Amino acid sequence: MSTDIHKEDFLVELGTEELPPKALKNLSDAFTQGILSGLDKAQITYSEVESFAAPRRLALLIKGLDTAQPDQQIEKKGPAVKAAFDADGNPSKAALGFARSNGVTFDDLIQEDRLVFRTVQQGQSTSELLPEIISQSLNNLPIPKRMRWGARRTEFVRPVHWLLMLLGNKIVDCEILGLNAGATTRGHRFHANQEITITNPTDYAQTLHQQGKVVASFAARRDMINEQVQKVAADINGQAVIDDDLLDEVTALNEWPVALSGRFDDEFLSVPSEALISSMKGHQKYFHVVDASGNLLPYFITVANIESNEPKHVVEGNEKVIRPRLSDAKFFYDTDRKQTQDNRREKLKSIVFQAQLGSVFAKTERIANLAAFISNAEGGDAKLAERAGQLCKSDLVSEMVLEFPELQGIMGQYYAANDGESPEVSKTLDEQYMPRFAGDQLPSSLTGCAVAIADKVDTITGIFGIGQLPTGSKDPFALRRASIGVLRIIVEKNLNLDLEALVEKAIAGYQEQKVELPALDKLNTTIVNYMLERFDAAYQEDGVAVEVINAVKALRPTRPLDFDLRIKAVTRFNAMDEADALAAANKRVSNILAKAGDIVIPDSVNTALLSEDAEKALAEAVESCKQAIAPALAKGLYADAMESLASLKEPVDRFFDDVLVNAEDEAVRMNRYALLKQLRSLFLHVADISLLQKS
């Protein structure tokens, strides 16, 4: 008898104490994905899903859910028929054992070339499977630390209070996390703190909104808050600055969001705006407001989780709370300005950068020397770079940065300007951390670039030097990001820096300080190879073919700008009609020369030994190209050089069609090897294009 399958809508909601706001979105996504994975594994289909996440609830609506699994055809094969009977024609032990293992008699088995057991396994009802699927999803949520409450042994991220599970209009009878499933949810903690019955899964969001004063959809609440905050800002003739992460966090804190504006005293505007913003965002979850020029206004926008009859009281309460916070920021700023960056720098001697690599003060010494080296190499002001390097970490011990770590560099810029340092040095103290993330802006000055590169290369060199290389899952010193940052700065700022020279200088900096680097053997090569490998993902994201990247990497150019120019040139060449034939020819030449083994092939071609028209033509073409591309190569104009080399296609094709490379006469054979060696070396000035062959 086959299972009767029809479609029903399903709703599950777990009610809790307030969930961690920064984790709510991830918890909701994982809860949804866990349930859907369980349904997919059980071969239960559905038509549409909608997730809900609010401070006190995780919920999921699944429309058009199968009410049962489909029946499954089961087939198991046993012993061969010839082994299924003994000498007397009775079922063998193997045949009887196969029948018993399937819970049937020998007569129930089918005889084909082997004994076969076939049956239909009836699908289980979805209501029977859902409790385990949901329990498993909850168990697998990304919760670093679970908690217990009361006398229960149940564990979850927060105490749980109710469980709603409806399949159609029927409750799924089960117990999860110590809660019996029902058909009731709860409304807003203050506006509608009561049980609300859900009679139909699809009515969930509307019923909760109308009766419970709860906007269950995370996305809908997020849009509401965004719209409200912008409107409130416009009402006070300002523009709200809405950070996505803060918007997500505020969305996770409110079930019934109401945006309100408040004001703080103008006197606080004397404090750097970044400090005020950090205080408003970090402590109070407020959105700040700017004017049309981007200057901070003395207003903030808060989002309340209640619709008050007296909103001015809510605003006044928030204004009372923010004042001491901003007063603290002003106090820190005023106190910090009583000391210079030089004075603060002395305190860095007692702060460890890394146990084996010394203090942060020692790091600033190395950064200063390396930054001066970089600036000098690029024709900059080495003294400015050295000074910026010396001061670059001083603000780490300032009161403001100790309170707001995210302001490191930013406050250093303000404090250096207060000390009378040059504008370029001051700005560099902020720019040293650029780029802070993928796509972030780069330092604006050469001094900023020099210190940013020096800081990153020093860290990479030191950590590699003590053997703490990043792994696939662990990169505590963010060496990948640092490497990508170095490459971006060098390439996008057109700096002609050599990674090997930078790392060599960085190693020397550690050695001058008597810092032992246990992994010193081949350290430079290891670091440079690691940094160059960071190019791969970046280029592939830009659509550069893997074979183009490999063709350039084969030559291992250690100047990132030079590497990038070669990539662009080979990409352009690879799109030309001549590319495939010349790549194949280079591959053939590479194989021929490889088979020559240890034989010393002449560097020059003896024209007197050229007898065939085709080899004479190729020799002339190679010599002509050599002369033509020399100026382009000298200027790094690799694309022009590759375009010239494309003209070799016809003479190369003719050579391989008409000329026997491995001539019997050894002198002729070696002369032809020499010609092919010269041909290949022309291309190897840019890349190994033999690797462009796709097959």
Side-chain angles (χ1 to χ4, degrees):
M1 181 177 176
S2 64
T3 304
D4 178 30
I5 300 177
H6 57 283
K7 303 283 188 180
E8 291 282 9
D9 297 330
F10 171 68
L11 173 68
V12 57
E13 180 196 56
L14 181 68
T16 70
E17 292 290 334
E18 276 72 8
L19 293 162
K22 291 185 178 179
L24 179 61
K25 199 166 183 295
N26 286 338
L27 289 174
S28 174
D29 291 343
F31 181 57
T32 297
Q33 192 53 52
I35 293 173
L36 298 184
S37 295
L39 293 172
D40 292 341
K41 189 175 180 181
Q43 296 183 313
I44 298 172
T45 66
Y46 46 88
S47 60
E48 189 180 337
V49 299
E50 184 176 1
S51 300
F52 301 93
R56 298 192 299 147
R57 67 200 76 226
L58 294 173
L60 178 65
L61 171 64
I62 304 177
K63 295 181 180 179
L65 183 67
D66 291 342
T67 56
Q69 291 176 303
D71 295 338
Q72 287 186 305
Q73 299 289 333
I74 305 295
E75 179 179 288
K76 296 181 182 178
K77 292 187 177 181
V81 170
K82 62 182 180 181
F85 298 93
D86 60 20
D88 298 327
N90 297 315
S92 65
K93 288 184 178 180
L96 293 172
F98 177 64
R100 277 196 306 274
S101 69
N102 289 294
V104 297
T105 66
F106 178 80
D107 293 336
D108 294 323
L109 298 175
I110 299 168
Q111 296 181 30
E112 294 177 353
D113 58 328
R114 310 181 73 86
L115 293 180
V116 179
F117 169 70
R118 291 195 184 101
T119 188
V120 175
Q121 180 176 300
Q122 191 171 347
Q124 280 184 273
S125 70
T126 301
S127 59
E128 292 176 317
L129 295 168
L130 280 170
E132 177 58 28
I133 289 172
I134 290 167
S135 295
Q136 196 61 46
S137 177
L138 291 169
N139 289 337
N140 292 336
L141 291 184
I143 302 171
K145 191 173 182 180
R146 295 172 185 255
M147 63 182 293
R148 291 182 184 176
W149 56 94
R152 297 183 178 185
R153 299 188 64 81
T154 307
E155 292 184 349
F156 196 57
V157 62
R158 292 290 185 270
V160 297
H161 293 304
W162 74 86
L163 174 66
L164 185 159
M165 286 178 63
L166 281 180
L167 184 59
N169 58 4
K170 294 180 180 178
I171 295 171
V172 179
D173 186 18
C174 66
E175 180 183 306
I176 297 175
L177 293 178
L179 298 171
N180 292 318
T184 58
T185 180
R186 293 197 68 87
H188 191 282
R189 190 183 289 279
F190 305 111
H191 286 308
N193 192 11
Q194 61 193 23
E195 288 190 346
I196 299 168
T197 300
I198 304 296
T199 56
N200 189 312
T202 56
D203 294 338
Y204 169 71
Q206 185 177 3
T207 302
L208 202 50
H209 185 279
Q210 292 176 346
Q211 297 182 29
K213 285 279 191 176
V214 171
V215 180
S217 167
F218 188 95
R221 282 200 320 284
R222 193 180 193 276
D223 289 343
M224 282 178 62
I225 293 170
N226 189 27
E227 186 177 332
Q228 287 183 23
V229 168
Q230 289 186 16
K231 183 179 184 305
V232 169
D235 290 343
I236 52 177
N237 297 317
Q239 299 172 5
V241 179
I242 301 178
D243 175 82
D244 284 342
D245 289 339
L246 179 60
L247 182 57
D248 281 344
E249 190 173 356
V250 172
T251 302
L253 286 166
N254 294 277
E255 290 186 319
W256 191 258
V258 178
L260 301 166
S261 67
R263 199 183 194 287
F264 57 84
D265 293 341
D266 289 0
E267 65 173 300
F268 294 121
L269 293 176
S270 63
V271 179
S273 60
E274 294 91 343
L276 301 180
I277 292 165
S278 282
S279 185
M280 288 189 280
K281 284 174 61 176
H283 292 305
Q284 303 306 130
K285 314 305 175 190
Y286 294 162
F287 297 95
H288 63 281
V289 182
V290 297
D291 62 20
S293 301
N295 300 311
L296 185 67
L297 293 174
Y299 295 99
F300 62 87
I301 298 174
T302 183
V303 179
N305 189 30
I306 189 170
E307 191 171 351
S308 174
N309 292 326
E310 296 287 346
K312 67 177 183 178
H313 294 321
V314 178
V315 170
E316 288 170 359
N318 280 278
E319 288 175 342
K320 286 179 181 177
V321 170
I322 195 61
R323 181 176 177 81
R325 294 291 189 186
L326 299 185
S327 295
D328 287 345
K330 188 174 188 304
F331 173 77
F332 295 146
Y333 181 57
D334 292 341
T335 301
D336 285 339
R337 285 187 297 164
K338 293 175 183 177
Q339 288 192 51
T340 65
Q341 289 283 77
D342 264 329
N343 290 338
R344 264 190 290 274
R345 185 172 180 242
E346 289 298 310
K347 297 179 183 177
L348 299 177
K349 291 179 178 178
S350 61
I351 299 177
V352 175
F353 162 54
Q354 201 282 337
Q356 294 172 255
L357 301 177
S359 68
V360 175
F361 180 91
K363 180 174 175 63
T364 63
E365 292 280 277
R366 296 191 302 270
I367 291 173
N369 291 333
L370 184 52
F373 170 80
I374 293 168
S375 184
N376 190 57
E378 290 295 320
D381 189 326
K383 289 191 178 298
L384 285 181
E386 182 179 19
R387 180 59 176 166
Q390 290 168 345
L391 300 179
C392 67
K393 306 299 177 186
S394 294
D395 68 341
L396 294 181
V397 292
S398 67
E399 295 291 338
M400 188 73 83
V401 173
L402 289 173
E403 179 69 17
F404 301 108
E406 68 273 16
L407 295 180
Q408 58 186 284
I410 294 170
M411 295 314 300
Q413 176 179 349
Y414 283 105
Y415 295 148
N418 184 69
D419 294 345
E421 298 288 345
S422 78
E424 190 161 326
V425 167
S426 299
K427 196 167 188 179
T428 292
L429 302 194
D430 177 30
E431 294 185 336
Q432 64 175 305
Y433 296 104
M434 295 177 180
R436 290 178 171 87
F437 50 85
D440 187 25
Q441 62 182 336
L442 301 180
S444 60
S445 68
L446 178 56
T447 300
C449 291
V451 174
I453 293 170
D455 185 12
K456 294 169 178 62
V457 171
D458 175 80
T459 298
I460 295 166
T461 302
I463 301 304
F464 266 75
I466 59 174
Q468 293 191 20
L469 281 66
T471 63
S473 59
K474 293 184 178 179
D475 186 12
F477 288 90
L479 302 188
R480 288 186 188 86
R481 187 175 67 196
S483 298
I484 292 168
V486 170
L487 297 177
R488 273 196 63 199
I489 293 171
I490 293 175
V491 172
E492 294 179 34
K493 292 294 183 177
N494 293 305
L495 305 179
N496 194 32
L497 296 171
D498 189 325
L499 293 180
E500 286 188 336
L502 291 177
V503 174
E504 182 182 348
K505 184 70 176 176
I507 291 172
Y510 281 102
Q511 291 175 327
E512 288 166 10
Q513 293 180 349
K514 311 297 182 189
V515 175
E516 186 177 346
L517 300 177
L520 189 58
D521 185 43
K522 296 183 180 178
L523 179 59
N524 194 314
T525 300
T526 302
I527 293 172
V528 172
N529 286 347
Y530 174 82
M531 295 182 74
L532 289 176
E533 284 169 7
R534 301 312 108 201
F535 266 137
D536 288 26
Y539 282 127
Q540 287 181 48
E541 283 180 14
D542 289 341
V544 177
V546 174
E547 57 267 21
V548 169
I549 301 170
N550 291 337
V552 173
K553 279 174 64 177
L555 269 61
R556 195 176 178 267
T558 56
R559 296 179 185 272
L561 180 59
D562 184 64
F563 195 111
D564 186 66
L565 291 171
R566 292 170 189 264
I567 288 286
K568 289 180 170 64
V570 178
T571 298
R572 182 171 154 186
F573 172 79
N574 200 33
M576 298 175 70
D577 295 337
E578 298 88 349
D580 286 344
L582 286 171
N586 268 266
K587 183 70 173 176
R588 187 172 178 181
V589 171
S590 177
N591 291 337
I592 290 170
L593 298 180
K595 287 177 182 177
D598 296 331
I599 298 173
V600 178
I601 300 172
D603 291 325
S604 59
V605 175
N606 184 347
T607 56
L609 292 174
L610 299 174
S611 58
E612 303 283 349
D613 289 343
E615 65 179 331
K616 291 178 182 178
L618 180 58
E620 289 176 8
V622 167
E623 185 59 33
S624 176
C625 270
K626 188 190 301 183
Q627 302 300 323
I629 68 173
L633 292 174
K635 296 177 182 177
L637 301 175
Y638 299 117
D640 292 348
M642 293 300 286
E643 192 171 334
S644 295
L645 291 175
S647 66
L648 290 170
K649 178 187 180 300
E650 187 177 339
V652 167
D653 287 348
R654 185 182 169 199
F655 175 86
F656 282 118
D657 286 342
D658 298 353
V659 178
L660 177 64
V661 177
N662 290 309
E664 290 186 15
D665 187 303
E666 183 179 357
V668 172
R669 182 170 67 251
M670 294 305 295
N671 199 51
R672 288 172 181 171
Y673 282 175
L675 177 56
L676 293 180
K677 180 180 175 182
Q678 285 200 357
L679 170 68
R680 181 151 167 74
S681 70
L682 284 180
F683 287 93
L684 287 176
H685 282 301
V686 181
D688 184 353
I689 72 161
S690 68
L691 298 176
L692 295 180
Q693 265 204 304
K694 299 176 178 64
S695 60

